[in-house]
Amino acid sequence: MNTDPVVTHPDLQLITLDVNGERHDVITEPRRTLVDVLRHDLRLTGTHVGCEHGICGACTVLIDERPVRACLMFAAQAEGARIRTVESLSADGNGGGGGGELSDLQRAFSEHHALQCGFCTPGFLMLAEGFLAERPEATKEEIREVVASNLCRCTGYQTIVEAIDACATARRGACVTPCIPDSPADKEH
């Protein structure tokens, strides 16, 4: 008798996900969203579920270093991509829960009081991480425009903009030479 769940339940499929640098084999229904698999199967609960319509941004993760709404993507669509959740930001890759240092972006959010209830914060952190990787020289106006795509009911956005701008400024200041991703000069920093 075959007990393989994929064979005995044809509505299931085996997918392999690269999440925060670790490979995960997941047996799931093809219709399940990435946010559900991250939270329920992989227990990465930092990615929050808000509107489930792609409007609020609470579920934002990075797919191949670009911000994506995990509630709008099937988990099977993420197979073969590099997925990063908010847990990847700390030095230990566990969101600070394992004793690791907070990332510079997380520290900036804390120092600028860029959160209140905290529900939206993981989505803003991942949105900012992806945006700053692509646009390290972003102005406050550009940052303000980007963060407007996520919803926060508590902060009024100003402290979020200030935190992201402070992090961007510090990252630029830390570079001895102009920061150009994947350049030989990056290895010197």
Side-chain angles (χ1 to χ4, degrees):
M1 181 174 173
N2 192 339
T3 59
D4 181 348
V6 176
V7 173
T8 58
H9 295 87
D11 55 335
L12 298 178
Q13 70 182 90
L14 173 65
I15 60 173
T16 302
L17 300 176
D18 175 355
V19 182
N20 300 334
E22 292 183 18
R23 178 189 158 131
H24 297 274
D25 292 327
V26 179
I27 297 174
T28 187
E29 296 175 47
R31 64 183 179 86
R32 287 196 60 218
T33 62
L34 179 58
V35 71
D36 285 337
V37 169
L38 291 172
R39 290 183 58 80
H40 301 292
D41 295 299
L42 303 183
R43 303 286 186 225
L44 295 170
T45 57
T47 303
H48 291 165
V49 180
C51 67
E52 297 187 80
H53 296 287
I55 296 168
C56 74
C59 66
T60 303
V61 298
L62 298 182
I63 303 289
D64 293 331
E65 300 304 317
R66 302 204 60 169
V68 171
R69 311 290 180 149
C71 74
L72 295 180
M73 182 175 207
F74 293 118
Q77 290 175 291
E79 194 168 28
R82 290 180 328 277
I83 305 163
R84 285 184 60 204
T85 67
V86 70
E87 288 88 354
S88 73
L89 293 181
S90 71
D92 67 355
N94 196 17
E101 296 283 326
L102 295 179
S103 73
D104 57 344
L105 184 58
Q106 290 170 311
R107 284 192 311 274
F109 266 62
S110 177
E111 291 164 5
H112 288 84
H113 308 288
L115 58 122
Q116 287 183 27
C117 82
F119 185 82
C120 66
T121 305
F124 275 106
L125 286 167
M126 297 314 289
L127 176 68
E129 185 73 11
F131 176 67
L132 291 180
E134 188 174 303
R135 297 269 305 122
E137 303 288 330
T139 66
K140 270 191 175 181
E141 291 74 30
E142 291 170 322
I143 293 168
R144 188 171 286 108
E145 186 175 324
V146 166
V147 300
S149 68
N150 280 23
L151 297 180
C152 175
R153 294 179 179 211
C154 302
T155 67
Y157 297 88
Q158 186 58 35
T159 55
I160 296 169
V161 171
E162 289 170 6
I164 296 168
D165 183 57
C167 181
T169 301
R171 286 180 182 182
R172 288 190 300 264
C175 289
V176 177
T177 58
C179 295
I180 302 170
D182 299 326
S183 74
D186 282 346
K187 294 178 177 73
E188 298 170 15
H189 305 171

